[in-house]
Each structure stands twice: as structure tokens, then as C-alpha cells.
Amino acid sequence: MIQIRLKPPCRREFRQDVYGPGVISLSRLIWGSAGAGLFLFLAALVSEACGVGVLYPPLAATCFISAACAYLRVARPRQVIAGHFVSTVGGLVAVFAVNWAVSDPALALPLKLGLAVALAAALMQVFDADHPPAAATAAIPAILPLPADTLVLPVHMAWGAVMVVGFSLAWNRVWFEFPAPEDGTCASRRRFGLERIELAGLVLCAAAFALMALRPVSEGCYLAGMWVMLAGVAAFLAQPFVTGMVIGGEARECPPGLPHLPPSGGKRDDPPGG
């Protein structure tokens, strides 16, 4: 059932059970809407000032999710940054492939769009970087002029995503811990709720953002920042394979309310607090 909450903004109104989809609240209307608009305004302002071109339409959707749906997993820093990066790569690969293989313009555009989104979806899932706005990042190279050279566009989109993540960290943490820890039983690391490798990737990406932002005064800093950005994104992309669990067999069904039994038949996990 949809809730309509008329209470004025307070910390209770920013708790996970009431700040998100399915709840119409004054707090979310005011804070989420103002944040989304402010994020994109600042992103465009900084991008133009620094001469680092990005695609604004997909970042607009990211701004909304980051401000109004902050508890969703797709709003976490790794999903935002890595999602835009790999989707840009997927979109550009699709454009190059169709341009090389198809000569009929009437068929080329639909193929570019379909292949771009398919590749982006596959890459986001492989690297556990699901971020729906990044599907638009993949599709745009097929239909619009690009704000940067194709070889650097993925890094530029990661740069823009880092910028939105920075705004969302400053904005959301006024009221609540953001990003929220994915596992409620684990304390957040340095109050950011990130694994070590995620935190390392975020630090690298933040440093890269600062270096690339110096492009108007130093092309060398900009180029160095691109390499640092690639290192930060690489840390994000490696995280699922470093910390993930590989399951080689079919998981057994467990009765409702009981902890999951591993497929190997090993010891079950103790219930929380047990």
C-alpha cells in the first residue's frame, strides 16, 4: 500500500522504510527533488568549466536515483561509476560493429540501439554494476553527437558519475548514512558502508576526478587523471571477483525462516545474533 506522509522533514522521515519508492512524503518531495535538480545543475556547471564533456541525459536519471532513491542498490557509488563506464564501452563497441558490418541506414540504427543496450546489460551484470540510467549511456552514441572522442568517452562518463556520487554523498549524509551498508549485520567501513576494494576504488576515482578537473590549466594533469580513473574503475570491476562467492552446484531449498544451507552440505550459517 502506498503511504502519503505529511510530516515535516526530520530524521525519522529519512529512514529506509519511508524514504523511497512507494512513499509520497514531504521529505522526499523536497529533499529528493531539490537534490536531483541541484546535482545536474552542478554537474553541467563543473563539466563546462573543466572542459570534460559528458552525456547529460543519463546523468540526469542518475541524479534522480541518487537523491530520491538513495537506499536502492543501484544508487551505490560502485554501481553508478562502473555502470556508466562499462555501458559506454558497450555502446561504442555496438556502434563500431554495426558501422563495419551493416550498410543499410534503415537497419543500422535499430541494430546499434539494440546491440548497445544488450552489451551494456551484459557488462553491467557480469561486473555486478547494475545501474539502469547507464543503459541510456550505451544508446546515446548511436543517435547523438558525442561530447568527447570515442576513446576517452568511457573515462569522461566515469568522471561525470564520480561527480554525481560526490554530490550525493555530501547531500544525503546530512540526514542519513549514505551509502547504506549492503549487509545490515556488518558495520560500515569508515562510515561509508563499502568493502575495502570498493573504498580503494572510490578514493582513486576521487583523486582522478580532481586531476581531470585541472584540464584548463594542465593537460598533463588531465591525462594523468584518466589513468588514475582507469585504475579506480578497475578496482570496482574486480570487486565481485575478489569478494564474491562461486557456487558450483544447485542450492538446496530451505524451509521458510531457516538459514540457507550451502550446496556443499557444509555447516549452516548461524542466524544473526545466534
Side-chain angles (χ1 to χ4, degrees):
M1 178 183 296
I2 294 176
Q3 295 184 44
I4 300 176
R5 301 177 67 89
L6 303 180
K7 296 182 179 180
C10 63
R11 293 208 174 271
R12 174 67 185 92
E13 293 301 296
F14 289 87
R15 294 282 295 275
Q16 188 168 2
D17 59 329
V18 295
Y19 191 82
V23 178
I24 301 171
S25 71
L26 288 176
S27 298
R28 189 164 176 250
L29 284 170
I30 295 170
W31 198 255
S33 301
L38 180 63
F39 294 175
L40 191 61
F41 166 75
L42 293 175
L45 202 65
V46 175
S47 176
E48 295 298 319
C50 296
V52 182
V54 297
L55 300 172
Y56 294 124
L59 287 182
T62 296
C63 290
F64 169 75
I65 288 177
S66 298
C69 308
Y71 284 108
L72 297 183
R73 193 169 188 269
V74 296
R76 293 177 64 80
R78 186 173 68 82
Q79 275 69 23
V80 172
I81 298 168
H84 278 295
F85 179 86
V86 299
S87 293
T88 310
V89 172
L92 293 174
V93 168
V95 170
F96 290 142
V98 174
N99 284 343
W100 175 77
V102 179
S103 58
D104 182 1
L107 181 61
L109 179 59
L111 279 176
K112 288 178 186 177
L113 291 172
L115 184 59
V117 173
L119 288 176
L123 290 170
M124 283 192 283
Q125 291 178 82
V126 165
F127 292 104
D128 187 35
D130 300 4
H131 186 63
T137 303
I140 285 177
I143 55 176
L144 293 177
L146 301 180
D149 291 339
T150 53
L151 291 179
V152 302
L153 184 62
V155 180
H156 278 213
M157 285 307 298
W159 184 87
V162 172
M163 181 163 44
V164 175
V165 166
F167 296 152
S168 61
L169 284 170
W171 184 258
N172 291 324
R173 289 171 72 86
V174 171
W175 288 106
F176 53 89
E177 185 178 10
F178 175 84
E182 289 194 275
D183 184 351
T185 64
C186 296
S188 62
R189 188 176 306 282
R190 297 184 183 274
R191 298 187 64 194
F192 278 97
L194 303 175
E195 299 284 346
R196 280 192 179 91
I197 191 168
E198 285 182 289
L199 186 59
L202 185 58
V203 170
L204 285 171
C205 288
F209 172 85
L211 287 170
M212 291 178 66
L214 295 175
R215 188 179 192 181
V217 297
S218 174
E219 192 71 16
C221 286
Y222 163 75
L223 293 174
M226 287 203 297
W227 287 107
V228 177
M229 185 68 76
L230 287 172
V233 171
F236 282 140
L237 299 182
Q239 191 269 340
F241 307 100
V242 173
T243 63
M245 177 187 299
V246 177
I247 302 202
E250 184 177 353
R252 291 189 291 170
E253 293 289 337
C254 292
L258 290 183
H260 174 72
L261 294 175
S264 61
K267 295 181 179 179
R268 66 172 176 84
D269 296 332
D270 289 332

